[in-house]
Amino acid sequence: MLRIFVVDPARAQIAGATVRLKNERGEQVGETKTSATQPAVFNKLGPGNYFLEVEAPNFKARSSAVEVKRGVNDLTIELEIAELKERVEVQPDAVERALDPKEGALTNFLSREQIDALPDDPQELERVLREIAGQDAVIRVDGFTGGRLPPKSQIASIKIIRSNFDAEFHEAGTPLIDVTTRAGGANWYGSLAGRFNDEALNARYPLAAQRRPAQLKNFDGFISGPLVKNKTSLTLFAFGNDSFDTAEINAFLPGGRFSDGVRRTNRFLYYSVRLIHNLSQTHSLNLSYNGNGVRLEGQGVGGLNLPERAFKTNSSTQQIRFSESGPFGRSLFNELRSQFTDDLSKSRPAHRSPAVNVLGAFNGGGAGVENNDRRQNLYLADNLLFALGSHAMKIGLLFERESVRRTSADGINGAFTFSSLEDFLRGRPAIFVQRRAASSVAFAQSQLGIFVQDDVRLHKSLSLVLGCAMSGRAF
């Protein structure tokens, strides 16, 4: 007996699937259908090799060789959804074929089978891709660098580009791993991991009488799944760190040697929200928001620097990304992407008293560190690709505007420097330096660039790349 269970990618049994069985000579032995609860069953079969054909509405047909042994033989056949096949076939179209996605000497597309064989974990996936393209390869997701790789179920294609001297690239010298995404996956899934460590697991500092306090706590996790099956996907990711260590102070004060430890803390949180929506079988819209915050306290302490020299730093980044890509007709392909980034950083001292630096003895007083920085960047790019015979043409336009504002009061409280501890006791500083007033600098620059490139196919393994890029800046 041979029982055939026909299931979809979510492992649900498919009703109404037609199953045909042929012998080694190609003669049909039987034909039957599955139901929602029952598999296809073939009775009175002799042992031997057979050929199986399975098809169902809205699913990709599948053929398979099967060996039947004595007794009951169970076999599960998974059918792919037909629209997935249509999407993969349509996306390359004439432009991608002209760019030689499978046979190019400097550009390689990973096949669907190769992508399916990659690890599911995004961190492990990145490691494997760098092994393929090189450790110095730059990973770009939907045209953007930086950030975390999407879940494998949302990856539509992976392209490795080694022609990094093309006119469309701002910088040359490293391979590029280009990842494009689409909404995908039928189920929600995710992961959560955490780590913990403290001084009980650490060795004692050589000059300390006992182990100094230290602790590390961090976590990372993500959840991803469909809001609308095969239409809209949502991915949430977060990584956090809360740790502290002890800075060792070994200084020489007027009263004698000073040895102590000061706690330095590090708090960090990164979070990301990513939404992918399939506008059609060939067009996808990607919208993401990334943010992070860093808080450092107890900085600048240790060695000859006393606890009063501490300062703290707070920084944050907010980033919004948008991209849309897909073909128009049979010979045009357009890529549109936009990004806005807002970086903010500020540092404050624990004390605003003048700094006191005694060479070879100690450094006291205020840290003299006080500043604010804000940097905003707007990026907008559009690339149009089209094929003309053996020519693959690319035309791109880039606009980028960056504004920077920095306010600094570093050193505004002054700093005394003494050549020795004896000079300090006598009140004889060698140098006194003080900033007269806080400074503020603000500027902005805009950049407009355009490139034209022609990839001429001379042979299936030989292409000639001709390109021209121009850019201009305004302050």
Side-chain angles (χ1 to χ4, degrees):
M1 176 187 293
L2 175 62
R3 297 191 301 180
I4 307 297
F5 296 86
V6 183
V7 298
D8 61 17
R11 309 302 289 180
Q13 191 158 309
I14 300 174
T18 301
V19 183
R20 301 184 186 89
L21 190 67
K22 297 182 179 180
N23 58 25
E24 292 182 299
R25 296 186 297 274
E27 300 170 344
Q28 184 166 307
V29 176
E31 178 180 321
T32 185
K33 291 182 177 292
T34 62
S35 68
T37 58
Q38 298 295 325
V41 179
F42 295 94
N43 294 307
K44 300 179 182 180
L45 293 177
N49 296 320
Y50 293 85
F51 190 74
L52 196 65
E53 295 179 349
V54 183
E55 59 183 30
N58 301 321
F59 289 88
K60 178 182 176 180
R62 181 172 173 180
S63 301
S64 176
V66 58
E67 181 182 1
V68 177
K69 300 179 180 179
R70 295 184 182 278
V72 179
N73 297 263
D74 289 341
L75 180 63
T76 299
I77 300 294
E78 180 179 321
L79 298 184
E80 297 180 8
I81 300 174
E83 65 178 8
L84 294 180
K85 174 184 177 182
E86 184 177 0
R87 172 178 62 81
V88 173
E89 290 178 347
V90 172
Q91 188 173 1
D93 215 329
V95 176
E96 296 289 6
R97 287 196 299 270
L99 294 174
D100 202 11
K102 298 187 183 301
E103 301 178 359
L106 299 174
T107 302
N108 302 101
F109 272 73
L110 298 189
S111 66
R112 188 72 253 174
E113 292 76 15
Q114 290 172 321
I115 295 177
D116 292 339
L118 293 172
D120 293 320
D121 181 73
Q123 293 182 342
E124 187 67 13
L125 174 60
E126 179 177 343
R127 183 188 66 80
V128 172
L129 289 177
R130 291 191 183 279
E131 288 182 354
I132 297 173
Q135 294 300 320
D136 61 339
V138 175
I139 298 179
R140 190 171 67 174
V141 179
D142 293 320
F144 299 107
T145 58
R148 183 181 173 93
L149 278 173
K152 192 176 69 173
S153 62
Q154 297 175 8
I155 294 179
S157 68
I158 298 177
K159 179 171 60 175
I160 298 176
I161 304 174
R162 293 184 173 85
S163 57
N164 43 32
F165 291 95
D166 287 359
E168 64 177 301
F169 300 132
H170 291 282
E171 299 177 354
T174 60
L176 177 67
I177 302 173
D178 210 4
V179 179
T180 58
T181 62
R182 283 184 62 85
N187 301 306
W188 285 87
Y189 64 98
S191 69
L192 180 65
R195 285 163 288 275
F196 176 82
N197 182 31
D198 69 4
E199 70 272 9
L201 304 175
N202 299 334
R204 178 178 59 85
Y205 184 72
L207 299 179
Q210 59 185 3
R211 282 180 294 194
R212 295 295 189 184
Q215 192 175 92
L216 168 68
K217 295 181 291 184
N218 63 35
F219 78 94
D220 69 78
F222 81 95
I223 184 171
S224 179
L227 296 179
V228 180
K229 186 177 180 180
N230 294 322
K231 188 70 174 179
T232 306
S233 295
L234 178 67
T235 300
L236 306 175
F237 172 76
F239 170 77
N241 178 84
D242 186 354
S243 63
F244 68 85
D245 62 3
T246 301
E248 295 291 336
I249 301 175
N250 290 283
F252 296 92
L253 301 180
R257 180 177 176 180
F258 177 81
S259 180
D260 196 7
V262 177
R263 177 177 292 193
R264 297 181 299 191
T265 62
N266 180 345
R267 293 183 176 90
F268 171 80
L269 177 63
Y270 171 84
Y271 46 92
S272 174
V273 180
R274 182 183 183 89
L275 184 71
I276 305 176
H277 178 68
N278 294 339
L279 299 173
S280 66
Q281 290 183 337
T282 56
H283 284 260
S284 63
L285 182 148
N286 299 267
L287 183 64
S288 67
Y289 170 75
N290 307 308
N292 69 67
V294 181
R295 183 180 178 87
L296 305 176
E297 295 183 350
Q299 303 302 298
V301 177
L304 299 179
N305 293 332
L306 301 179
E308 61 201 57
R309 292 298 293 267
F311 68 92
K312 62 182 179 181
T313 299
N314 293 323
S315 62
S316 64
T317 299
Q318 313 295 325
Q319 187 178 75
I320 299 175
R321 289 174 169 177
F322 166 84
S323 67
E324 196 278 333
S325 63
F328 293 91
R330 298 186 57 82
S331 59
L332 294 177
F333 190 91
N334 192 74
E335 300 171 328
L336 174 65
R337 57 187 182 272
S338 177
Q339 173 180 283
F340 176 75
T341 304
D342 186 7
D343 291 316
L344 182 64
S345 176
K346 62 180 180 179
S347 298
R348 294 290 183 270
H351 301 278
R352 287 188 168 85
S353 57
V356 177
N357 304 315
V358 181
L359 301 181
F362 71 90
N363 299 319
V369 176
E370 188 166 0
N371 53 69
N372 292 295
D373 288 292
R374 186 163 195 173
R375 183 183 300 267
Q376 294 180 317
N377 179 274
L378 175 63
Y379 171 91
L380 178 64
D382 187 77
N383 291 344
L384 179 65
L385 297 79
F386 56 95
L388 295 174
S390 61
H391 297 260
M393 304 294 299
K394 301 179 185 179
I395 299 176
L397 182 67
L398 166 70
F399 173 77
E400 188 170 9
R401 179 172 177 80
E402 183 174 49
S403 61
V404 178
R405 183 176 183 86
R406 176 180 175 84
T407 301
S408 177
D410 294 350
I412 199 168
N413 296 308
F416 292 94
T417 301
F418 296 86
S419 300
S420 65
L421 192 58
E422 181 180 354
D423 286 344
F424 171 74
L425 293 174
R426 294 180 177 180
R428 296 189 308 188
I431 301 174
F432 175 73
V433 179
Q434 184 177 25
R435 188 179 200 146
R436 298 185 62 180
S439 64
S440 181
V441 177
F443 67 90
Q445 71 171 13
S446 299
Q447 177 177 252
L448 181 65
I450 186 172
F451 79 89
V452 178
Q453 182 171 307
D454 182 9
D455 293 6
V456 186
R457 174 65 52 78
L458 302 178
H459 187 265
K460 70 176 184 179
S461 59
L462 179 62
S463 296
L464 176 63
V465 180
L466 303 174
C468 176
M470 297 177 293
S471 66
R473 293 183 180 179
F475 294 87

